[in-house]
Amino acid sequence: KDGTFQMISNFTSGIEYYYNVATGSCALYGLNYWSDWCYGSVNKQTYKGSFGVGSETANAWVQDGTPFVWAATQNTCVPISHVRSDTGETTFFFNMKEGAPDASVFEVPAACKRAEAELTDRKALPSAPAHLKHF
């Protein structure tokens, strides 16, 4: 409602930072592991089919109760796309490379670093509010 937000997921710390650019504030949440980067039956998703992407094969997955379809390469799980059927939103990923980027490319806002420094129990982090889930 009041501006631009940045969501940063840190899979090393288990923290999702929700930074409000307009106010300079940062809220911390536990990671939402079911999201763009998680695929497959282990995440209670259903395989919908495969399609060719260049020289590779991609698999498409859905999860009951959500409007999303995710696709990732079959062998390396590199994200290809996600579609949100209820809004028509479609995201395609280009020039993706397998593996994590160097940690130096991530710039966590100072407000988020301060909030993390004040955190005493990571396990007590709340889940992201409903309006933030499945972004």
Side-chain angles (χ1 to χ4, degrees), residues 2 8-9 19 24-25 28 36-38 40 43 45 47 52-53 58 70 76 85 99 105 115-117 121:
D2 62 354
I8 303 165
S9 299
Y19 179 65
S25 62
L28 305 181
D36 298 355
W37 47 84
C38 297
N43 298 300
Q45 293 182 346
Y47 171 77
V53 178
W70 284 266
T76 59
S85 61
V105 303
E116 185 176 1
D121 183 6

Side-chain angles (χ1 to χ4, degrees), residues 39 51 53 58-59 71-73 78-82 91-94 96:
Y39 304 93
F51 57 94
V53 178
N59 291 335
T73 57
V78 171
I80 299 297
S81 66
H82 78 263
T91 302
F92 294 101
F93 302 95
F94 296 94
M96 299 296 289

Side-chain angles (χ1 to χ4, degrees), residues 10-32:
N10 184 327
F11 285 88
T12 302
S13 69
I15 296 174
E16 183 168 79
Y17 308 91
Y18 190 67
Y19 179 65
N20 184 328
V21 176
T23 66
S25 62
C26 187
L28 305 181
Y29 298 100
L31 283 177
N32 171 13

Side-chain angles (χ1 to χ4, degrees), residues 48-110:
K48 293 305 284 184
S50 298
F51 57 94
V53 178
S55 62
E56 297 196 51
T57 299
N59 291 335
W61 299 89
V62 298
Q63 186 173 35
D64 289 340
T66 73
F68 298 96
V69 177
W70 284 266
T73 57
Q74 197 171 63
N75 294 328
T76 59
C77 204
V78 171
I80 299 297
S81 66
H82 78 263
V83 175
R84 184 173 179 163
S85 61
D86 63 341
T87 64
E89 171 190 352
T90 302
T91 302
F92 294 101
F93 302 95
F94 296 94
N95 299 321
M96 299 296 289
K97 295 180 182 175
E98 184 180 354
D102 185 277
S104 66
V105 303
F106 296 104
E107 187 174 319
V108 177

